[in-house]
Amino acid sequence: MANMRNIVRRWKRSERKISNKRERIRLFFVGEGLLILLNLLCYRDGFWMIPEQILLIPGWKIWEKRKMKRERRQYETGFRDLLRSLMTSFQAGYSLENACRIALKEMESSGEKPENPIVGKLRKLVQGLELHIPADKMFAVFARETGLEEAGQLSAVIEIVHSTGGNMVDVLKRSMEHMKARMDAREEIQVLLSGKIFEKNIMLLMPLCIFLYLRITNPEYVACFYQSVTGHLMMSAVIGIILFCFYWTEKIMDIQF
């Protein structure tokens, strides 16, 4: 049985590595395609494809940051569902261990494709409870693997209640209500920000769109940008200003909770 688990674990790890390599290769070709379009729009000179390659570095960092944020949102969504299920079970009189088992069944039966990554962490937590590992230790591992602040708070509450011998159900219900309210407020702020982020992206693309419009309707008007080094440097300055504004607005809208 242990050998089978190790084989499955290795298979999943190798599958994840292959998926990451494929994604990186795909991102590389997408980035090169975007650089070719940028070169045709702003330079129309193959020489500038060489210095343009430096743009792949911030592009890769942006993608990594967006991926981490996307995974964190998935964890937050799954953790909110977990809190909702645990509170329902506590109100029905179930213990913490049984409430976790019920929450896992509910989240597994939801049929989400792809499966929320927090389900795997919760499955590991329930397996630890089945092996009679204390709940506070398993929730500490759960909080460390998900990286959620609220999960860390829940783990600390469970550890304190275990050590002091308080009424776990009542304490957990009050703590989870507070955490759920905080996560709901965070979600509302993200929804409000989504419209502003879309407007920001439109405004950053406007200079290039205007230049494309002028090139299509009146190519002689912008021909000077393609025929001299000065024109190329001016276009490079415009691209640099757009990138600076992008990073500036990203910092402004990166609200920490």
Side-chain angles (χ1 to χ4, degrees):
M1 191 69 178
N3 290 335
M4 182 61 68
R5 286 178 183 171
N6 290 332
I7 292 171
V8 172
R9 197 177 294 114
R10 288 197 198 101
W11 177 75
K12 287 184 177 180
R13 195 181 298 121
S14 62
E15 189 180 47
R16 221 167 14 243
K17 288 181 180 178
I18 293 172
S19 177
N20 289 336
K21 287 181 180 178
R22 287 176 180 172
E23 192 169 13
R24 288 174 181 175
I25 293 172
R26 181 179 61 84
L27 283 171
F28 173 77
F29 283 109
V30 169
E32 288 295 332
L34 292 174
L35 290 182
I36 291 172
L37 292 177
L38 183 65
N39 186 277
L40 292 174
L41 176 62
C42 300
Y43 299 106
R44 211 161 58 188
D45 187 346
F47 169 78
W48 285 91
M49 278 295 295
I50 299 173
E52 276 182 14
Q53 299 300 314
I54 197 172
L55 295 177
L56 292 176
I57 298 175
W60 176 260
K61 290 183 178 179
I62 291 169
W63 178 82
E64 286 283 346
K65 189 175 180 180
R66 294 274 173 89
K67 182 182 178 182
M68 291 176 60
K69 283 185 176 180
R70 186 167 60 249
E71 290 178 351
R72 181 179 177 82
R73 270 191 232 106
Q74 289 178 333
Y75 276 127
E76 288 174 350
T77 302
F79 190 70
R80 190 183 298 109
D81 295 337
L82 173 61
L83 290 181
R84 190 181 298 114
S85 178
L86 290 177
M87 283 193 291
T88 303
S89 297
F90 286 154
Q91 290 169 356
Y94 289 98
S95 64
L96 174 61
E97 289 77 7
N98 289 330
C100 291
R101 295 185 183 99
I102 293 171
L104 177 60
K105 290 180 181 178
E106 290 179 353
M107 296 180 74
E108 285 180 333
S109 62
S110 63
E112 291 185 14
K113 297 294 181 181
E115 185 183 79
N116 194 303
I118 206 168
V119 176
K121 309 299 181 185
L122 180 59
R123 191 178 294 120
K124 182 178 179 180
L125 186 150
V126 172
Q127 289 173 353
L129 295 177
E130 297 288 350
L131 296 174
H132 304 291
I133 300 175
D136 56 338
K137 295 187 183 303
M138 291 310 304
F139 269 95
V141 174
F142 177 82
R144 186 170 62 252
E145 291 184 349
T146 58
L148 294 176
E149 182 181 353
E150 289 78 9
Q153 293 173 356
L154 180 61
S155 171
V157 170
I158 293 173
E159 185 178 358
I160 292 171
V161 173
H162 265 190
S163 61
T164 58
N167 189 332
M168 178 172 288
V169 174
D170 289 340
V171 173
L172 286 178
K173 280 171 62 177
R174 287 195 296 270
S175 301
M176 287 190 294
E177 286 173 0
H178 172 71
M179 283 185 276
K180 186 175 181 299
R182 181 180 176 184
M183 295 182 76
D184 289 341
R186 181 187 299 168
E187 183 68 19
E188 290 179 8
I189 293 174
Q190 289 294 340
V191 171
L192 292 174
L193 278 177
S194 61
K196 299 298 180 183
I197 292 173
F198 179 75
E199 293 175 8
K200 178 259 295 184
N201 293 332
I202 294 296
M203 292 299 293
L204 290 174
L205 288 175
M206 280 303 293
L208 296 178
C209 292
I210 293 172
F211 192 78
L212 177 62
Y213 172 77
L214 291 174
R215 181 175 171 182
I216 293 172
T217 58
N218 193 357
E220 293 82 8
Y221 189 76
V222 294
C224 59
F225 290 102
Y226 301 109
Q227 296 172 354
S228 65
V229 177
T230 304
H232 290 165
L233 293 176
M234 289 180 66
M235 291 306 302
S236 300
V238 171
I239 295 172
I241 292 172
I242 292 174
L243 289 175
F244 171 76
C245 293
F246 174 81
Y247 275 103
W248 184 43
T249 51
E250 284 283 305
K251 290 290 184 182
I252 292 175
M253 293 186 175
D254 187 18
I255 299 177
Q256 301 295 330
F257 298 93

